[in-house]
């Protein structure tokens, strides 16, 4: 199923209330649906992405987002387009957890390369532990588990 969507990307210094303010603003349009969302804070810098159904009034949304960006001292960009939304059964997700006493870029490059070689797409990467062992979790899709196990 194809659907017109808008991707909102918000970046800036993280402070309480930014995420709430964005979704409060989006709640004004009762037809808006959140199709995907991801947020991460690294060293105090917030990156928030929200994929929403296309708004009824894109110009009004842009105006409100501009006001929000000014009020919260963040940057907001929009990207409009059509996407084909997968059904739940079409997209199986697997989790690959990497544990290391010292995480090096070369190791991450090799893991990411092995995932790509197996046909896996990295959907999300998140650190889930930092001490005494660093743990990184990759959420991947598109590759059979047996192939991933052999590749990794």
């Amino acid at each position: 199923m194809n659907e017109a969507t808008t991707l909102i990307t918000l970046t800036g210094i993280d402070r309480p209330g930014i995420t709430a303010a964005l979704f409060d603003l989006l709640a004004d349009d009762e037809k808006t649906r959140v199709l995907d969302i991801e947020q991460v804070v690294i060293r105090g810098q917030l990156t928030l992405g929200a994929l929403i159904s296309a708004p009824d009034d894109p110009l009004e949304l842009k105006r409100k987002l501009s006001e929000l960006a000014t009020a919260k001292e963040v940057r907001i960009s929009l990207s409009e387009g059509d996407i084909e939304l997968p059904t739940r059964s079409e997209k199986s997700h697997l989790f690959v957890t990497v544990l290391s006493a010292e995480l090096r870029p070369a190791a991450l490059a090799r893991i990411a390369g092995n995932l790509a070689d197996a046909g896996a797409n990295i959907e999300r990467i998140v650190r889930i532990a930092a001490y005494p062992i660093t743990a990184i979790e990759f959420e991947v899709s598109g590759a059979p588990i047996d192939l991933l196990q052999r590749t990794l």
Side-chain angles (χ1 to χ4, degrees), residues 70-146:
T70 300
K72 295 295 184 182
E73 299 176 329
V74 296
R75 292 169 303 285
I76 299 177
S77 64
L78 298 176
S79 175
E80 299 170 349
D82 291 344
I83 64 166
E84 186 168 333
L85 297 173
T87 62
R88 269 276 199 232
S89 61
E90 288 176 357
K91 200 171 192 181
S92 63
H93 286 243
L94 301 170
F95 295 89
V96 175
T97 303
V98 177
L99 304 173
S100 178
E102 188 173 72
L103 199 56
R104 300 283 186 163
L108 290 174
R110 185 161 181 194
I111 292 164
N114 286 343
L115 291 169
D117 291 345
N121 185 55
I122 299 171
E123 301 281 339
R124 183 171 183 255
I125 303 171
V126 63
R127 186 190 72 198
I128 56 176
Y131 183 82
I133 297 292
T134 300
I136 305 292
E137 183 176 77
F138 291 81
E139 182 179 356
V140 301
S141 65
I145 192 169
D146 58 333

Side-chain angles (χ1 to χ4, degrees), residues 61-71 76:
L61 176 64
K62 288 177 185 177
R63 184 190 66 73
K64 287 180 176 181
L65 288 172
S66 178
E67 289 175 2
L68 176 68
T70 300
I76 299 177

Side-chain angles (χ1 to χ4, degrees), residues 28-89:
D28 289 346
D29 182 347
E30 292 182 9
K31 293 181 183 176
T32 297
R33 292 179 300 117
V34 177
L35 305 172
D36 199 359
I37 182 173
E38 190 82 27
Q39 177 174 315
V40 65
V41 177
I42 299 175
R43 293 186 71 185
Q45 294 295 311
L46 168 68
T47 300
L48 169 60
L51 182 66
I52 63 168
S53 57
D56 284 340
D57 187 349
L59 293 176
E60 179 66 8
L61 176 64
K62 288 177 185 177
R63 184 190 66 73
K64 287 180 176 181
L65 288 172
S66 178
E67 289 175 2
L68 176 68
T70 300
K72 295 295 184 182
E73 299 176 329
V74 296
R75 292 169 303 285
I76 299 177
S77 64
L78 298 176
S79 175
E80 299 170 349
D82 291 344
I83 64 166
E84 186 168 333
L85 297 173
T87 62
R88 269 276 199 232
S89 61

